[in-house]
Amino acid sequence: MEANSSIFLALSKIVKIATSRISMYSIDDPYSHPPFLRFRFENIDKEDEKYNFLRDALVNFKGNLDWNLVTKSELSNFIITPAIFSDDLEKDFYNKEYYREKFTLLKYQQLIDGAIEDVPNLAKYIITEYNKMLE
C-alpha cells in the first residue's frame, strides 16, 4: 500500500495536498484503470511555481514510462498519469475494453505493470529534485 500512495506522500512533503484519494491504482485489480493521482495543492494557485516544478520533474523522470501533469483551465485539480494514457482521460479512462482494442490486453497490462513499477521511483525522484531546488 505504501508504494501505491508514495506519490501522494511525496507531494504532501512539498505542500499540503487536497485530494479525495491517495492511491494511484486499485490493489484488488491493478488493471482496472491506468494509474493516476488527482490532486491539488491546498491554498495554492494553479499558476504557482510548485506545479511548474512538478511538471518538469515528471518530464525529466527516466522510468519505464513517460509521465504527465494534466489539468484543464476550468478545473482546479491536476492529474498525474503516464503520458500514454493522458489523452484518454476524456474518453474511456476506466474502460479496459477500450485499452484492449487500443493496445491489446497484453500490451495494456505491460504498460500498467511498468507504471506501477515507476510509482515509488517517481515519488523518490520528486522528493530528490525538490530538495535540490531548495538548496
Side-chain angles (χ1 to χ4, degrees):
M1 180 63 177
E2 187 173 320
N4 194 358
S5 60
S6 60
I7 291 181
F8 169 83
L9 296 171
L11 295 178
S12 64
K13 290 180 181 177
I14 296 171
V15 71
K16 189 172 182 179
I17 300 294
T19 183
S20 59
R21 54 183 266 175
I22 65 171
S23 300
M24 294 281 295
Y25 52 89
S26 168
I27 300 273
D28 297 330
D29 181 7
Y31 305 111
S32 62
H33 59 78
F36 75 96
L37 180 68
R38 180 182 299 115
F39 76 99
R40 64 182 163 79
F41 292 133
E42 201 168 280
N43 301 318
I44 302 283
D45 184 71
K46 280 183 73 169
E47 305 305 319
D48 190 274
E49 65 185 47
K50 288 178 181 66
Y51 290 114
N52 293 329
F53 152 77
L54 183 56
R55 185 174 285 110
D56 290 344
L58 293 171
V59 167
N60 293 323
F61 173 71
K62 303 297 182 222
N64 296 311
L65 300 176
D66 293 332
W67 289 78
N68 275 348
L69 181 65
V70 181
T71 190
K72 288 183 160 187
S73 59
E74 66 273 12
L75 300 176
S76 61
N77 291 329
F78 286 79
I79 296 176
I80 296 173
T81 194
I84 197 163
F85 299 115
S86 295
D87 292 340
D88 301 318
L89 288 168
E90 295 296 315
K91 299 175 190 163
D92 293 308
F93 194 72
Y94 292 98
N95 184 346
K96 282 196 284 190
E97 291 303 315
Y98 168 78
Y99 296 113
R100 183 180 300 189
E101 291 175 19
K102 183 175 180 177
F103 299 114
T104 76
L105 182 59
L106 178 61
K107 179 65 176 172
Y108 171 67
Q109 289 175 337
Q110 289 170 338
L111 290 168
I112 297 298
D113 290 343
I116 289 171
E117 188 177 308
D118 276 353
V119 167
N121 297 323
L122 178 55
K124 289 176 192 166
Y125 183 77
I126 290 168
I127 291 300
T128 300
E129 291 302 300
Y130 187 69
N131 288 337
K132 284 182 191 175
M133 187 178 79
L134 295 177
E135 292 175 353

